[in-house]
Amino acid sequence: MSKVPAGRWTRPLWVAGVTVAALALAPVASASPSGGTTEKAIDVRSLVGLSDSRDIAGPAIAAGDVSTPAGKPSAGQPVFLFAWPDEDVLGAAQVGDQFPLVPVAATVTDDSGAFQLRLDDPSVLDRFMTGDDAADLSVMVPDAGPSAIHEFSLERAQLQSAQNAARVEAASRTRDKAAGVERRIALGLSKAAAAGATVDWSGYHEKALVCNSQVKQNLGPRWVAVGETYNASGVHSDFHLLAGGTSTLGVGVSGSGAYGSYKSTSTVKKSAESEVNFPATSDGQNRQWATQYEYKKFLVVCVDPNSQAYEVRPTAFVTGVDYSSPTPPSATYCASYVAGSGLTKSSSTAVEWSNGAHLGPAIGIDLSAQSGFTSTVKVTYAFMEKRRLCGTKGYPGDSPVRLVSKV
């Protein structure tokens, strides 16, 4: 693989607070700030060799808005979707290794700053979906400054659902909401970009935009919270993380890569490659359960135009078991259970810990973590005596988020 030319790694990008939309929406009209169509102003096909998503039928994989620092729409702004290598490549990558980020979709914002990204050929993602059956994707506005990059994972099942039903559940940390609810990526331009410091896109030649990533540091195994159990007297519980169990893990992004400079508002999905056996607990034992994922630090560089960002992201499932003994959270949505009964919670969305992935000593902040409830990430409570099981946000049979047993 050819290396990115030296001396061209200039402007930083980092993540803003955003959520990913994976929606099927009608095509949008597009106009440039001068009143003409953005198709005439900028031809994204000449930049990355892909059809403009506005000319592609089918569901949008991501949708959102680009705005100026003042919150005004940024019309006529090119937006790109890049695919990262699959987890086998990322897991095996050594410090110094480089690989390309592959463009899979491109478009230009309309006069309201809105964009939708569609795949010309959905099968293009197949080679990025080994192992955990999810492709790691980056939405980027290269050379646009802070807040112009966003990471997310798209699962194979989501893509198939989008193709079949023209609508897909959002690949975000709020998946417990109803399918079809619109969620939008919010990308913001830096003050320099808004003032005209960005490139004149019309001057670039065919397939000029190139983005690569290089492994800068292996941060090693890091403990990640994956579940919790809270036992009153007379209650037994088991937490289950089976092979294939998926965790949604935060990605840290920085313009400089310096300690303390990272922000985290994007996530990717990673799966356990083997079953982890957590010990059963009972009678007053409270546990937050953790296992380990490997994290690496990457330098992402785009040339023609030039930009760079540092990212810290999970790359491999390590395994291992550890725990802390937290105080139970307040839980008031209660159901009563007689002796000999029980509940297995294997659906709805469990709690997200903003500091669940312990990266603080390495980069200055901990990253988010969320796992379950699913058929492969679940918790079982068994009652030896008449007791209550309570949720923090809803009843145990609905969407409790967190579960606490009580006398």
Side-chain angles (χ1 to χ4, degrees), residues 84-159:
W84 282 69
D86 65 54
E87 64 173 1
D88 293 338
V89 173
L90 294 181
Q94 303 297 308
V95 173
D97 287 352
Q98 296 188 59
F99 45 81
L101 302 185
V102 179
V104 294
T107 193
V108 177
T109 58
D110 65 13
D111 56 355
S112 68
F115 67 87
Q116 297 173 25
L117 291 163
R118 296 179 173 84
L119 300 173
D120 198 356
D121 177 12
S123 67
V124 71
L125 293 184
D126 286 347
R127 64 188 174 108
F128 305 107
M129 284 188 169
T130 61
D132 55 10
D133 257 3
D136 289 347
L137 303 173
S138 295
V139 179
M140 293 187 190
V141 181
D143 200 60
S147 308
I149 181 172
H150 179 70
E151 308 291 346
F152 71 104
S153 295
L154 182 67
E155 296 172 330
R156 188 184 303 277
Q158 292 177 304
L159 181 58

Side-chain angles (χ1 to χ4, degrees), residues 30-395:
S30 184
S32 70
S34 61
T37 63
T38 51
E39 288 94 336
K40 294 180 180 179
I42 299 173
D43 179 8
V44 294
R45 182 185 291 272
S46 68
L47 299 174
V48 289
L50 295 171
S51 298
D52 192 317
S53 289
R54 294 168 297 175
D55 300 327
I56 299 172
I61 297 305
D65 305 271
V66 181
S67 61
T68 68
K72 296 182 178 181
S74 177
Q77 181 69 54
V79 182
F80 302 94
L81 184 66
F82 290 90
W84 282 69
D86 65 54
E87 64 173 1
D88 293 338
V89 173
L90 294 181
Q94 303 297 308
V95 173
D97 287 352
Q98 296 188 59
F99 45 81
L101 302 185
V102 179
V104 294
T107 193
V108 177
T109 58
D110 65 13
D111 56 355
S112 68
F115 67 87
Q116 297 173 25
L117 291 163
R118 296 179 173 84
L119 300 173
D120 198 356
D121 177 12
S123 67
V124 71
L125 293 184
D126 286 347
R127 64 188 174 108
F128 305 107
M129 284 188 169
T130 61
D132 55 10
D133 257 3
D136 289 347
L137 303 173
S138 295
V139 179
M140 293 187 190
V141 181
D143 200 60
S147 308
I149 181 172
H150 179 70
E151 308 291 346
F152 71 104
S153 295
L154 182 67
E155 296 172 330
R156 188 184 303 277
Q158 292 177 304
L159 181 58
Q160 292 171 342
S161 176
Q163 293 174 266
N164 295 337
R167 189 168 295 274
V168 64
E169 174 64 273
S172 72
R173 292 174 291 178
T174 55
R175 294 189 60 203
D176 55 324
K177 296 187 177 181
V181 175
E182 182 172 341
R183 306 175 185 86
R184 302 185 71 83
I185 301 170
L187 300 177
L189 304 182
S190 68
K191 291 183 179 179
T198 52
V199 298
D200 176 8
W201 290 91
S202 62
Y204 284 84
H205 302 295
E206 185 175 1
K207 298 186 180 180
L209 177 62
V210 176
C211 294
N212 290 276
S213 185
Q214 182 184 46
V215 182
K216 301 301 289 183
Q217 185 180 2
N218 188 334
L219 301 176
R222 298 285 162 169
W223 289 107
V224 174
V226 289
E228 58 185 351
T229 51
Y230 297 97
N231 299 303
S233 62
V235 179
H236 296 180
S237 64
D238 286 281
F239 175 71
H240 307 272
L241 177 60
L242 306 182
T246 298
S247 296
T248 301
L249 305 176
V251 176
V253 184
S254 165
S256 67
Y259 180 89
S261 66
Y262 285 85
K263 298 181 180 180
S264 178
T265 51
S266 296
T267 62
V268 294
K269 296 180 185 295
K270 293 300 168 188
S271 297
E273 298 302 315
S274 55
E275 180 176 351
V276 182
N277 295 313
F278 293 84
T281 55
S282 63
D283 295 326
Q285 294 179 315
N286 300 320
R287 299 287 186 263
Q288 182 190 71
W289 300 108
T291 189
Q292 291 178 302
Y293 283 85
E294 178 189 68
Y295 283 75
K296 291 175 183 174
K297 177 180 178 180
F298 297 87
L299 174 60
V300 178
V301 176
C302 296
V303 296
D304 293 332
N306 304 331
S307 61
Q308 74 175 42
Y310 290 87
E311 293 196 9
V312 170
R313 57 168 59 219
T315 56
F317 180 63
V318 177
T319 193
V321 173
D322 199 2
Y323 68 87
S324 61
S325 300
T327 300
S330 175
T332 59
Y333 296 87
C334 299
S336 181
Y337 294 81
V338 299
S341 64
L343 174 78
T344 295
K345 191 62 184 175
S346 59
S347 63
S348 81
T349 301
V351 64
E352 178 189 64
W353 290 285
S354 61
N355 61 346
H358 297 290
L359 274 295
I363 65 174
I365 63 167
D366 291 328
L367 302 178
S368 65
Q370 189 277 327
S371 305
F373 300 109
T374 66
S375 61
T376 52
V377 185
K378 57 189 177 181
V379 63
T380 297
Y381 281 90
F383 301 94
M384 306 300 106
E385 301 179 45
K386 185 177 181 179
R387 293 291 183 260
R388 294 177 297 156
L389 187 62
C390 306
T392 58
K393 299 295 184 181
Y395 291 104

